[in-house]
Amino acid sequence: MAPAGTGVIPKEKMMLGVTLSRWTMSYFFAALSALVAAETMMVAGFGYPAAGLRAPETLVLVHVITIGWLSLLMCGALFQFAPVLIARRLYSDTLPLPALLLVLAGLGLLLAGFLQLAGWLSTLPSLLPIAGVVLSAGFAVVLWNLGRTLWPARPLPLPARFVATGLVSLALTVTFGVIFATVLGQQTNSEPLLAIAGAALPLHVAAGIGGWLTLTAMGVSYRLLAMFMLAPELGGARPKLVLAFAIAALVVVVAVGIGAVLTGASLLIPLLAGSILALVSLVLYGADIVHLYRARRRRFIELNSRMAIFALASLAAALVLTFALAAFGRFTDGLGPVVFLLVFGWLSGLGLAKLYKIVAFLTWLECYGPVLGRMTTPRVQDLVVEHRARKWFWLYFLAVWFGTLAMLVGQAAAFRIAAAAMLVATIGIISEFARARLLSDVEARSDGPDAVRRPHLLFSRPPAN
């Protein structure tokens, strides 16, 4: 099959001026490796539900997912798309590499520290305080680079304000993490720090999953869904209310929650009030996304946008499950399944769906953007084969939903079967990313990607002179 000719969709032409982030693909590679590692652990029965929620093995699994997979995925995406949100260049295209190396080194030390707690490693002293320093240094470089990128663009457009709020939440999450690492490593006797380490885990989770990961995903999705479906940018009061309620929820949970922890009061009221505010924000966000799908000018919905619907359905299901468990007085028992559905159904599902488009899109920009108008070029969609990839996404989401059900009814063996299906699906999806990155399907349809440099799998090359 010949390339699709010179036809290039208008949005791609609009994006030709975008500067490619050189190390975004490196972040994606590290993130996907962590996802495969985490799913392998679940198949092997390492961590929850085979171990307790606060067991060191569970802490290993949780941080491979939240730092190794989701945070690196989000950082890599932001280095590419935060400049797009404000139509400016990234402050530094050099800093992402040392930041990535510091985060990976810090994550390795953190996991080793947890294994020390579990008795798997007997090395002394504790590695947790060192991990806290290295990890916070890595994320500080990320925050500095993205903060210096966003700061000159004030007043920020709405999607960028979501991202800025997410970055503040990342700083809070890292701060909580450093406190926990310092206390678990027995490096302090400070009573306020001991109190925070003893009771503020829900605040750490809320700032990380709710503030950093979910708010950033919401902000980026406003722009990416509109861009990829050719829908009008959202305006009006509703998106602003989404952000306002989300910020209010974070303030209530984190600020009021810290006050409660330091005074010895119960966290129940700030957590309940914050949950209600967050629910209002998410319901309004859902209405905005439905509007985007209805207002799109691209009638055919591409695979990435169709799979994003499943991720959003997982988010809605997690909310319904949360309130159902609370109504029956089983919220504590169901916390694991709810978090699993949020992390793998909503955040990971959305991340994998968007990566399917982003990897092809960035590869197209790198390879064909410089030669557009001088040679026959394929479309972005010619870099992928949707009918082949569809089965892997179906398998992934079905496995996540089956795994959630297995956790709810306490069937650990069934959960491991679901995790194995997730692992197979994830490897299948990653193979589709690799084929798009290496132009394998362009080559299969034509005489080969003539006159363009083949992209490197792990990073973007600077434009040729």
Side-chain angles (χ1 to χ4, degrees):
M1 180 177 175
T6 57
V8 179
I9 63 174
K11 284 288 182 181
E12 288 159 6
K13 288 183 178 177
M14 290 171 60
M15 294 297 292
L16 286 178
V18 171
T19 301
L20 282 170
S21 167
R22 187 174 186 192
W23 303 109
T24 284
M25 288 296 171
S26 309
Y27 276 76
F28 290 166
F29 176 79
L32 290 166
S33 300
L35 176 58
V36 170
E39 291 173 345
T40 303
M41 290 181 201
M42 291 191 293
V43 174
F46 186 88
Y48 187 84
L53 273 173
R54 290 176 178 265
E57 291 85 352
T58 300
L59 295 178
V60 170
L61 178 61
V62 165
H63 287 85
V64 169
I65 296 167
T66 54
I67 297 176
W69 159 229
L70 291 172
S71 291
L72 288 182
L73 169 69
M74 204 63 77
C75 289
L78 286 181
F79 285 133
Q80 179 60 49
F81 288 104
V84 174
L85 299 181
I86 55 174
R88 288 173 178 265
R89 297 174 69 90
L90 185 67
Y91 172 72
S92 169
D93 202 27
T94 303
L95 289 177
L97 181 58
L100 174 62
L101 296 176
L102 281 169
V103 171
L104 288 176
L107 177 60
L109 289 166
L110 187 69
L111 302 183
F114 290 142
L115 291 176
Q116 284 180 315
L117 292 178
W120 291 54
L121 297 177
S122 57
T123 308
L124 295 175
S126 172
L127 295 172
L128 289 174
I130 304 171
V133 171
V134 178
L135 264 177
S136 58
F139 282 118
V141 177
V142 172
L143 290 167
W144 170 260
N145 200 7
L146 292 172
R148 289 298 302 265
T149 302
L150 295 175
W151 185 259
R154 293 167 295 136
L156 296 173
L158 189 65
R161 275 182 263 163
F162 277 87
V163 171
T165 308
L167 294 176
V168 172
S169 301
L170 171 61
L172 289 170
T173 306
V174 173
T175 301
F176 278 123
V178 170
I179 292 173
F180 294 155
T182 303
V183 172
L184 286 174
Q186 300 180 337
Q187 298 297 308
T188 179
N189 293 318
S190 165
E191 290 189 5
L193 296 185
L194 292 174
I196 291 172
L201 181 60
L203 313 187
H204 179 55
V205 175
I209 294 180
W212 159 229
L213 296 170
T214 294
L215 266 185
T216 306
M218 290 164 68
V220 174
S221 69
Y222 270 122
R223 176 58 63 88
L224 289 188
L225 285 172
M227 187 171 76
F228 292 149
M229 294 194 299
L230 301 183
E233 297 287 340
L234 280 174
R238 194 164 60 197
K240 295 177 184 175
L241 285 174
V242 173
L243 181 59
F245 276 103
I247 291 175
L250 280 170
V251 170
V252 168
V253 170
V254 177
V256 180
I258 282 291
V261 168
L262 294 179
T263 58
S266 170
L267 277 174
L268 180 62
I269 291 177
L271 288 178
L272 182 60
S275 299
I276 294 171
L277 290 167
L279 176 64
V280 174
S281 173
L282 290 171
V283 169
L284 293 173
Y285 169 71
D288 275 341
I289 297 304
V290 170
H291 175 78
L292 276 178
Y293 275 87
R294 288 178 173 171
R296 72 186 189 279
R297 291 194 289 273
R298 175 171 277 161
R299 302 322 303 168
F300 173 75
I301 301 179
E302 295 175 352
L303 184 62
N304 74 90
S305 297
R306 272 180 281 157
M307 293 303 109
I309 295 173
F310 292 161
L312 291 162
S314 300
L315 173 61
L319 294 176
V320 171
L321 182 59
T322 299
F323 284 91
L325 289 168
F328 286 99
R330 291 193 56 204
F331 178 73
T332 303
D333 298 337
L335 185 60
V338 168
V339 173
F340 177 80
L341 188 55
L342 283 173
V343 167
F344 285 100
W346 157 235
L347 292 168
S348 299
L350 184 68
L352 290 170
K354 290 297 116 184
L355 272 181
Y356 186 69
K357 180 72 176 185
I358 290 171
V359 170
F361 185 61
L362 298 185
T363 302
W364 185 92
L365 281 176
E366 180 179 350
C367 296
Y368 297 104
V371 299
L372 190 65
R374 292 189 278 123
M375 61 170 286
T376 300
T377 58
R379 302 169 303 158
V380 173
Q381 279 304 94
D382 294 323
L383 273 63
V384 297
V385 179
E386 289 198 354
H387 67 81
R388 192 181 59 214
R390 188 181 304 123
K391 61 180 179 293
W392 299 124
F393 281 102
W394 271 105
L395 178 61
Y396 176 82
F397 280 105
L398 288 173
V400 169
W401 297 333
F402 180 71
T404 305
L405 181 61
M407 292 175 82
L408 277 172
V409 297
Q411 293 296 318
F415 175 78
R416 291 174 67 176
I417 293 172
M422 289 169 58
L423 178 60
V424 171
T426 300
I427 291 172
I429 293 170
I430 292 173
S431 71
E432 297 296 325
F433 298 161
R435 289 187 65 84
R437 183 67 186 160
L438 298 175
L439 304 175
S440 300
D441 292 311
V442 175
E443 188 174 39
R445 290 170 168 140
S446 67
D447 296 331
D450 299 328
V452 297
R453 291 189 304 169
R454 286 185 178 278
H456 196 283
L457 188 63
L458 302 183
F459 57 85
S460 298
R461 293 190 174 97
N465 295 323

